Amino acid sequence: DSRDKAQDLYHNLEIFDKISAQLTLAIKVRDVLKLEKAIDGARVAEDLPKNMEEYGTVQKLLAEANELLKVLREEDALREELLQLISTKDRIAIEKSESLKRAFKIPGLNDVTMKARILLRQQQQALNTSKKVIMSEHRDILDEFVAKYSVVLPAYDIEEIKEKWLSKRRDILYNSLDGALSEGNEKNIVRFLKQFDDYVSSKSIDPDDPYNKPLVDLVARSRMYLSSYYEATEHLDEALKSPYSVEKLKNAIELGTPFKLLEERVSRAKSILNKEAAKHEVLKRLQAGMQSGNVQDLENAIRFAAEKSVPGTLDAIKEATKVLERLKKLAKLRAKLEHGL
């Protein structure tokens, strides 16, 4: 019997040692699978004598293993939750995450918290870079930014940056075009209208969007301005060609007067019109004087023409002078005949 008892004791000790070794190793490596296996294997201890000191040791290790398993399972659940959150790239949610705050206190989740830190740092760098992108008028720079940083920024950040870029372009374009229109700067008006067309063709600006109505209305006014400007330019160019037409000059001056860029040509047209009007008045008086056959009237007309000294009237003055001489001769001859009678 003593031999059997000794063998049973030895056998029991071996089992206790094996269970203790498995539990100790699993606790040391903090491995969930090893812990589950070791805990499951420790069930056989319930069939062993509970009065043995080793039984108490196993129970302590078993309690420690169960507690550690619970902690590790909670860590795994927290890890899974945080990895899922990180995969969404939701910057605001990550920054406000209470789970992440808890994870920072758990050494076993350092790998996850590091991923979160790296992502948040990359997102902040992207947001800093976006400030320069928003100030750039080039769409390709915005597109390059979106392609590069959409892997780290959430969709709402990307959309907000695109909207800020568009809003900035819209405001700058409106102010620039409005200024060019106020100044009557035809070259800048053309440049900014082309910019608007480029934005529309690239779908950066939707002309049907009510939010863009002020800009669209300004573009319409600018196009009307250019149309009137080109029409006035064409009429002035035609009116300034010799031989001049008083009617063409008057019409061109009326069309060109509102445009600052046409001031010089309008001024030339007015100068020519004044000369043509003076010429017309001189010729009219000379013609009337010659047709009247009245020496005094013709002399007055010739004197008026000489005082005005309008280019293009010299031949008419010479002709009128000859007519005056003939009228004077006829007057003398008529006086002699009347005297003789």
Side-chain angles (χ1 to χ4, degrees), residues 54-293:
E54 286 77 10
Y55 178 83
T57 302
V58 167
Q59 290 304 310
K60 288 180 181 179
L61 287 172
L62 190 58
E64 184 180 351
N66 277 311
E67 182 60 29
L68 179 58
L69 181 61
K70 179 183 176 183
V71 169
L72 292 179
R73 281 174 175 168
E74 289 177 354
E75 287 184 7
D76 285 347
L78 187 57
R79 173 182 280 103
E80 185 62 30
E81 177 189 343
L82 290 175
L83 288 175
Q84 180 62 31
L85 178 60
I86 292 170
S87 69
T88 66
K89 300 176 295 186
D90 190 334
R91 177 176 54 81
I92 297 175
I94 294 172
E95 289 174 346
K96 294 182 177 181
S97 173
E98 292 298 326
S99 296
L100 182 59
K101 291 177 183 177
R102 290 204 318 273
F104 279 125
K105 301 175 183 178
I106 301 173
L109 294 177
N110 284 344
D111 58 326
V112 179
T113 55
M114 183 59 70
K115 283 185 178 180
R117 277 192 172 123
I118 291 172
L119 178 61
L120 288 173
R121 185 167 60 249
Q122 290 174 331
Q123 289 177 334
Q124 189 56 54
Q125 289 172 345
L127 292 176
N128 291 339
T129 302
S130 73
K131 295 175 183 178
K132 295 181 181 179
V133 173
I134 290 169
M135 297 304 296
S136 171
E137 66 179 48
H138 302 292
R139 175 70 192 223
D140 56 344
I141 291 180
L142 174 66
D143 292 339
E144 287 174 6
F145 173 87
V146 171
K148 180 177 180 180
Y149 290 104
S150 58
V151 295
V152 296
L153 286 177
Y156 57 78
D157 275 339
I158 293 292
E159 289 306 311
E160 183 180 358
I161 291 165
K162 288 165 70 174
E163 181 54 39
K164 283 183 178 179
W165 180 88
L166 176 57
S167 179
K168 191 71 175 178
R169 303 287 73 69
R170 183 168 44 227
D171 292 346
I172 291 175
L173 180 56
Y174 183 94
N175 292 332
S176 299
L177 183 55
D178 187 52
L181 190 59
S182 299
E183 296 169 0
N185 191 322
E186 177 259 341
K187 289 183 179 178
N188 280 343
I189 292 174
V190 170
R191 180 160 70 91
F192 295 132
L193 285 178
K194 182 182 182 304
Q195 199 173 92
F196 173 81
D197 291 337
D198 289 343
Y199 286 149
V200 172
S201 63
S202 66
K203 301 188 185 306
S204 296
I205 289 180
D206 179 4
D208 296 325
D209 186 341
Y211 191 74
N212 293 324
K213 190 176 187 303
L215 176 58
V216 172
D217 289 345
L218 177 61
V219 166
R221 294 201 304 274
S222 300
R223 294 197 196 283
M224 289 178 61
Y225 176 92
L226 280 185
S227 177
S228 299
Y229 171 82
Y230 291 140
E231 181 185 6
T233 301
E234 184 179 347
H235 279 271
L236 278 169
D237 289 343
E238 183 64 27
L240 290 172
K241 292 178 182 177
S242 182
Y244 304 113
S245 164
V246 171
E247 289 304 316
K248 285 185 177 180
L249 284 165
K250 286 182 178 179
N251 186 45
I253 290 169
E254 182 180 353
L255 291 173
T257 297
F259 302 100
K260 294 180 182 179
L261 282 179
L262 298 178
E263 284 180 355
E264 183 180 348
R265 274 184 272 192
V266 168
S267 178
R268 284 174 53 202
K270 286 180 177 179
S271 176
I272 293 171
L273 178 61
N274 290 335
K275 291 177 182 178
E276 288 298 307
K279 178 181 175 182
H280 177 75
E281 182 62 24
V282 167
L283 294 178
K284 179 182 175 182
R285 290 197 182 194
L286 288 173
Q287 187 66 29
M290 289 187 288
Q291 289 178 350
S292 70

